[in-house]
Amino acid sequence: IVAAGEHSSNQRERAQALRGAVGDDARPIDSCAANEPRATNGSPVFSEQNASGGFIGRANINHSSLPSGIDRRGIDTTVRVQDNIFLFANGEWLKHTPIPEDKSNYGAFSVLMDEAEAHIREIIAAAASEENPPGSEAQKIGDFFRSYMDQDTIEARGLKPLQEELAKIDRLQSLDQVVAHWGYLQTRDVTTPIGFYVDQDDKNSTVYLGVVIQSGLSLPDRDYYLQDDEKYASARAALATYIQTLFDLGQLPAGAAEAIVALETKLAQASWTRTDLRDANKRYNKMSLAELADLAPEIPWKQYLSAAKVGQLSELNVNTPSYFETLSTIAAETPLEVWRWYLKFQLLSAYAMALPQDFIEARFALYGQELAGVPELKPRWKRAVQALAGGRGFGVLGDAVGKIYVQQHYPAEARVRMGELVENLLLAYEHSIRDLTWMTPETKQKALDKLSKITTKIGHTKKWRDYTALEIQPDDLLGNLLRSAQTEYQRMIDKLGQPVDREEWHMTPHTVNAYYSASMNEIVFPAAILQPPFFQVDAEDAVNYGSIGAVIGHEISHAFDDQGSKYDGAGNLENWWTDEDRRAFAQLTGQLVEQYEQYSPLKGRHLNGRLTLGENIADLSGLAVAYRAYLLSPSGQQPPVLDGWTGPQRFFLGWSQSWRRKYRDEEMLNRLLTDPHSPSEYRANGPCSNFEPFLEAFDLQPGDGLYRKPAQCIRIW
């Protein structure tokens, strides 16, 4: 995934996101030279084709007549580009652009998200203003929006829409019943100590497999519970306040907050770190139900799976075995009353945003103000849009909205030009692999085979989700959300026993992002990211290659990052490396870990180089292969000087302006623990400092902030 957006509360989405950006490893070399074709004077050689041919240029276009695509107003000339290209390219923008009061961070991605949100509001408003045929997608879009905006009805009903769900929890009288209820709550999208989802079998990508994974925490990461730091202690106190507030509002028993926080702390102690969760080998542990029962004997797995509507399963992938061993003990030792309190809290928290305003404000106080530093709650219409059309997920009717979005906001020429860029990047990657000096011919051939099997999806799905079974009523927001949760859960478990759907998308077309799927071995680019500053159909090539070209290269590189490289071309978790090459790769990536762990975005806090390794590999390699493709694409034309910048200089400025972003401190703290992506400044600067063409483009010298000796530079792919 290119950049993290808003954090999802959906457990299945969080579990699957662990697979979203996976990759490969390598070893040190003597120089960071990019092995690009160069003239005798050291300038880049621009040619129509390389030896293999096939690069698509824009031969009939006068490049000097095209706009540069650089945002000149964002440049801060008081900063030397040689010291910090991120601050040089974005400094004026950073100085004069406040983070909106309802956001935790703001940047290039956010601008496009806001534009997409405005377009979606228009789509929804049109549906809500018309009389639509009953059961049609337009009727469902309009009626869901009405239900969300009908605050008077929501206030009048209070907790009544959840009373039956709360009563079910009151009736739990044994551990077997409690654990079975965990399975039932999966169908309601409510957090419990066991997360369940369906995905491709990592070692047989042609079939689907049920997966269980650690879950159950209300704070963003285990460290929030386990570290004594003042900020984490404050978060724990805010969680306790939140729990108590929900119980007070729901007229439920007092005194539950301390017991629930203590229970979640035990779950946190048993949980794997996010670094361990990234390891594809560690998290593949296929077991029979008998083996699972031996691992965690106090958990009644048959009852859990039956209640989760997957009682027919005979085997599962157990992502985090040691967690379930400990959970077995925690489950047995925790009083039933505490489990009932915990489940009531998780139910109320899951649906707080659909309850009266006091519940909404209580949830915002924890997740918005305390954990993200956001001063103001989003306006109700924005929350309605996100719930309906999806933030990082699909929302209630994401594909129904996406279908209209594509018709109105996705020009055909964008798809054509994007297809050309993807083809050029794949060809450039092929040449890059062939030129590697650290990899043996045997492994190179297998890498090339995997590259040749990568498939591409651009713009939008060809197979839209069917919402026929989903009932939406104009005056029943909470009921709409519950029915949507059941519909989407059923959609997921219906995959079991079916052929893998190669047409499925895991993002809506109006999502400003992109992803690589290791099991599918595919790269996917939704329509909404194909806009400035990432993609400018009418701009000169340099900025397009530095921005969307590097995004394409980033996603291809996930096939070869430290985890994606563990999968073969068919999408199976299988080692295709020689031991020698894997050691070389590990040595190279170890250097990258060391580099990024020197970065400190908050005083006393550094990046986790292991957690961010896959994304850092993808950023570095994506930049390198995009530059190679840029050199080989212009059909023999030398790039013009535009706005005072040469072609290579514009390439790197386009790269840096793509990562423009600023964060609130609370959000940054959260991301340092939970986000596999480095903060934007280091995404811009870190790869450039390892890339000789950047050093040459801006004539870096020893003593410059981004200068690295050739022997210290890291080239992986």
Side-chain angles (χ1 to χ4, degrees), residues 336-449:
L336 290 175
E337 183 177 41
V338 174
W339 279 126
R340 287 192 291 266
W341 289 343
Y342 170 83
L343 294 176
K344 286 181 179 180
F345 160 64
Q346 292 294 354
L347 176 67
L348 291 173
S349 184
Y351 289 96
M353 299 304 285
L355 291 170
Q357 189 66 22
D358 287 344
F359 287 87
I360 294 171
E361 291 177 358
R363 183 175 172 88
F364 175 69
L366 175 63
Y367 292 105
Q369 294 172 324
E370 176 67 30
L371 296 177
V374 180
E376 291 183 4
L377 182 67
K378 288 182 185 294
R380 194 170 190 91
W381 74 265
K382 287 190 176 184
R383 287 179 272 140
V385 167
Q386 188 171 44
L388 194 153
R392 293 186 67 187
F394 274 75
V396 173
L397 291 156
D399 257 9
V401 172
K403 198 182 303 183
I404 304 171
Y405 176 88
V406 165
Q407 294 168 358
Q408 297 181 359
H409 301 289
Y410 182 47
E413 59 267 27
R415 183 183 184 90
V416 173
R417 183 62 183 141
M418 186 65 176
E420 294 172 351
L421 288 169
V422 170
E423 185 172 343
N424 285 355
L425 264 293
L426 287 168
L427 284 167
Y429 220 104
E430 176 188 338
H431 303 149
S432 184
I433 291 173
R434 293 185 187 279
D435 288 346
L436 290 177
T437 60
W438 58 265
M439 181 177 275
T440 62
E442 179 183 351
T443 305
K444 266 188 198 181
Q445 191 55 49
K446 292 179 180 177
L448 290 168
D449 177 70

Side-chain angles (χ1 to χ4, degrees), residues 663-693:
Y663 309 82
R664 301 189 191 277
D665 285 352
E666 296 86 349
E667 173 72 2
M668 180 63 78
L669 177 65
N670 186 335
R671 287 177 181 249
L672 288 177
L673 285 179
T674 65
D675 193 348
H677 307 81
S678 297
S680 288
E681 180 172 355
Y682 311 112
R683 298 191 76 172
N685 288 339
C688 284
S689 70
N690 278 309
F691 195 46
E692 189 174 353

Side-chain angles (χ1 to χ4, degrees), residues 15-200:
Q16 289 170 306
L18 294 169
R19 303 167 53 84
V22 288
D24 182 72
D25 38 340
R27 119 189 147 189
I29 53 176
D30 293 333
S31 170
C32 62
N35 292 331
E36 307 300 351
R38 310 199 73 77
T40 54
N41 63 0
S43 300
V45 173
F46 291 86
S47 59
E48 185 169 0
Q49 295 180 332
N50 72 351
S52 299
F55 281 90
I56 301 171
R58 302 168 80 181
N60 298 321
I61 293 177
N62 179 0
H63 286 249
S64 63
S65 67
L66 297 174
S68 73
I70 298 294
D71 175 15
R72 289 174 291 173
R73 295 171 301 176
I75 291 175
D76 184 353
T77 56
T78 68
V79 177
R80 296 179 71 249
V81 66
Q82 295 87 350
D83 292 330
N84 190 317
I85 190 173
F86 177 79
L87 292 181
F88 175 82
N90 301 301
E92 286 300 314
W93 182 91
L94 293 167
K95 291 176 187 176
H96 302 294
T97 306
I99 300 175
E101 293 293 284
D102 64 350
K103 296 184 186 296
S104 63
N105 64 95
Y106 194 66
F109 282 86
S110 313
V111 172
L112 293 189
M113 289 176 186
D114 287 347
E115 290 179 6
E117 185 178 64
H119 292 319
I120 293 166
R121 186 184 190 184
E122 294 172 358
I123 291 169
I124 294 170
S129 65
E130 300 172 358
E131 287 294 327
N132 298 297
S136 66
E137 289 183 346
Q139 171 261 309
K140 293 175 183 181
I141 291 171
D143 282 355
F144 181 84
F145 188 74
R146 291 187 187 95
S147 74
Y148 206 105
M149 299 303 292
D150 187 1
Q151 193 166 356
D152 289 344
T153 297
I154 293 168
E155 294 290 337
R157 290 184 176 177
L159 267 182
K160 289 180 182 177
L162 278 183
Q163 286 301 339
E164 178 54 33
E165 296 293 339
L166 290 167
K168 289 177 182 177
I169 296 172
D170 279 329
R171 292 194 288 268
L172 301 176
Q173 297 300 317
S174 68
L175 179 59
D176 281 10
Q177 292 178 357
V178 166
V179 175
H181 204 71
W182 296 352
Y184 165 78
L185 288 176
Q186 288 291 308
T187 72
R188 270 45 179 181
D189 200 18
V190 176
T191 296
T192 75
I194 301 176
F196 174 83
Y197 63 97
V198 174
D199 207 347
Q200 288 167 269

Side-chain angles (χ1 to χ4, degrees), residues 301-368:
W301 289 103
K302 288 184 178 179
Q303 289 92 323
Y304 172 85
L305 295 171
S306 178
K309 302 174 68 176
V310 288
Q312 78 280 12
L313 292 180
S314 59
E315 59 183 8
L316 291 162
N317 183 29
V318 183
N319 268 175
T320 49
S322 64
Y323 168 81
F324 290 107
E325 285 184 284
T326 306
L327 177 62
S328 181
T329 301
I330 294 171
E333 292 179 349
T334 301
L336 290 175
E337 183 177 41
V338 174
W339 279 126
R340 287 192 291 266
W341 289 343
Y342 170 83
L343 294 176
K344 286 181 179 180
F345 160 64
Q346 292 294 354
L347 176 67
L348 291 173
S349 184
Y351 289 96
M353 299 304 285
L355 291 170
Q357 189 66 22
D358 287 344
F359 287 87
I360 294 171
E361 291 177 358
R363 183 175 172 88
F364 175 69
L366 175 63
Y367 292 105

